[in-house]
Amino acid sequence: MKDYADKMTPQQARQFRDDVLNIVGQIPPGRVTTYGIIAAWAGWPSHSRMVGRTLRYTPGAEQLPCHRVVNMAGRTAPGWSQQRPLLQAEGVSFKPSGHVDMQQHLWQPGEVK
């Protein structure tokens, strides 16, 4: 695991987890956001990988629309074959490269639908 220069205290880690889950829960259908955007909105912009770990290892996170989180290039999570079909079912379009069309579907926290 990467050793971050700006390590979190246990209290900050719990707050980060709560913020990540809250933000992911707000992503509307047909839209996506990135690990980096979530990390920045949670106050820890250098912790985008930790967003992914939070979503993977937090009990109950599977009840959230985690499929709406992609990397900054619009790539889906490796090894998760159901992510693309879930996004397509919501109307998310993909480029020929297999990446989400981020210009059309990117959502920023605080954005009004």
Side-chain angles (χ1 to χ4, degrees):
M1 186 191 269
K2 182 177 177 182
D3 188 25
Y4 296 99
D6 51 348
K7 288 186 177 183
M8 295 180 183
T9 65
Q11 180 180 358
Q12 289 170 321
R14 284 189 295 276
Q15 185 63 54
F16 180 82
R17 177 201 62 212
D18 294 346
D19 290 345
V20 166
L21 299 178
N22 181 35
I23 293 166
V24 171
Q26 295 178 50
I27 307 169
R31 305 296 296 275
V32 297
T33 197
T34 70
Y35 299 100
I37 289 170
I38 294 169
W41 272 82
W44 295 85
S46 65
H47 287 61
S48 57
R49 288 179 184 245
M50 195 167 173
V51 170
R53 289 187 193 110
T54 299
L55 295 175
R56 182 173 181 154
Y57 297 113
T58 301
E62 67 276 1
Q63 304 302 318
L64 295 171
C66 298
H67 63 284
R68 298 178 188 149
V69 182
V70 296
N71 79 2
M72 66 186 224
R75 286 193 306 265
T76 57
W80 187 10
S81 63
Q82 290 303 305
Q83 187 176 12
R84 182 176 175 144
L86 287 167
L87 290 170
Q88 288 176 314
E90 295 181 352
V92 173
S93 57
F94 286 77
K95 295 180 178 181
S97 64
H99 299 179
V100 170
D101 183 343
M102 298 298 278
Q103 285 188 329
Q104 187 173 352
H105 299 287
L106 181 64
W107 175 81
Q108 297 276 351
E111 179 181 306
V112 177
K113 291 183 189 177

